[in-house]
Amino acid sequence: MTEKKMPATAVALQIGNASFRYPDLPYPADNINVDLKFSNPDGEPDHSGIDISKFDLRLAGEPFSLKLLLKTPVSDPFIDAKMLGKLDLGKIAGLVPLEKGSKLAGLVNADLACAGNYSAATGNNYSRLDAKGKLEILNLLWQLPTDKDATELKELKLDFTPQKVNMPACVGRIGKNDFNASGSLSNLLGYMFADEKLTGNLKLNSNYLNVNSFMSDAPSAEEPKPTDTAQ
């Protein structure tokens, strides 16, 4: 193994019909099935590949599945990924332990897919990139014991295309602050992966918005110490 070479490698992991459950909680994670392979036939890092052809499980009774193929990670990463799932966040507290006093509820629906090379996410080469899907969140309630206010999201809808992410609805409140927004973001993938310019438009309506409530209570700089200027 050197700075430019790695050992030739072949790793395979298979999990069939597995499950786990915390003894004091009502919901299990079950129907866990995984088929994962990592290979590098000659030690060249760019010849590495990850193939997760199956990653299925059921969280508190709701199914979730993921597939992932990654190739040429050094020269121009190619990714083919799919995610499909539905999750009742209110059942998460019955699946894994949360910090005492936490609040969590809501429904999440995800159906996302992306296939193409990293280079297609830069320079607006969208004809070589297939990215599509939907993400929907309904009646979300989220608050940790350390949070001053709860975050409530009545509705959030995101539609993904290679060119842009459309947000037809985003309605909710944080404490007393309410918001109703819609809009779109263009070149999100180029911004995330290649530091390119992100553009978009946003329409926001609010009956009450107190910006001070989003600011930290901590002082931004150390206050000057008093000095004795008496003559």
Side-chain angles (χ1 to χ4, degrees):
M1 184 172 184
T2 68
E3 293 181 357
K4 297 182 179 181
K5 197 88 169 178
M6 62 184 289
T9 309
V11 178
L13 171 66
Q14 289 184 322
I15 300 174
N17 199 28
S19 65
F20 70 86
R21 179 175 179 175
Y22 284 87
D24 299 328
L25 297 179
Y27 298 117
D30 57 7
N31 287 0
I32 303 173
N33 297 280
V34 178
D35 191 347
L36 180 152
K37 295 182 177 66
F38 172 84
S39 64
N40 182 285
D42 56 10
E44 292 292 336
D46 197 40
H47 296 164
S48 300
I50 298 176
D51 184 4
I52 304 177
S53 59
K54 178 183 292 187
F55 188 100
D56 301 333
L57 72 159
R58 190 169 58 183
L59 297 172
E62 299 291 351
F64 174 87
S65 64
L66 171 71
K67 291 184 178 182
L68 173 66
L69 175 64
L70 175 65
K71 299 187 296 184
T72 58
V74 178
S75 60
D76 186 11
F78 171 84
I79 185 171
D80 186 352
K82 296 179 180 179
M83 181 174 67
L84 177 64
K86 178 181 178 182
L87 187 59
D88 184 346
L89 297 178
K91 294 181 178 179
I92 292 298
L95 175 67
V96 294
L98 299 179
E99 189 175 356
K100 187 177 181 180
S102 299
K103 297 178 181 178
L104 181 62
L107 299 175
V108 178
N109 290 303
D111 186 356
L112 302 169
C114 181
N117 288 86
Y118 169 85
S119 58
T122 65
N124 296 324
N125 297 313
Y126 299 122
S127 61
R128 299 189 292 114
L129 181 66
D130 182 18
K132 57 187 177 182
K134 297 179 182 294
L135 176 65
E136 183 180 45
I137 300 176
L138 299 173
N139 300 318
L140 172 71
L141 173 63
W142 168 257
Q143 186 175 18
L144 296 176
T146 54
D147 293 337
K148 181 179 179 181
D149 297 312
T151 298
E152 300 176 62
L153 203 55
K154 182 178 179 181
E155 181 182 26
L156 172 63
K157 290 184 177 181
L158 298 175
D159 298 325
F160 294 84
T161 70
Q163 294 83 2
K164 64 174 59 177
V165 178
N166 295 308
M167 184 178 70
C170 181
V171 182
R173 64 172 54 248
I174 301 175
K176 296 181 179 179
N177 301 282
D178 67 276
F179 54 88
N180 187 335
S182 61
S184 65
L185 290 174
S186 299
N187 198 33
L188 179 62
L189 295 176
Y191 172 78
M192 293 175 59
F193 298 114
D195 199 25
E196 294 185 345
K197 186 176 181 179
L198 179 68
T199 60
N201 64 79
L202 178 68
K203 180 180 179 181
L204 173 66
N205 293 313
S206 178
N207 296 309
Y208 179 84
L209 189 62
N210 182 3
V211 179
N212 290 331
S213 63
F214 299 103
M215 306 300 289
S216 172
D217 294 332
S220 57
E222 185 178 353
E223 296 182 1
K225 297 180 180 179
T227 58
D228 186 2
T229 57
Q231 299 294 326

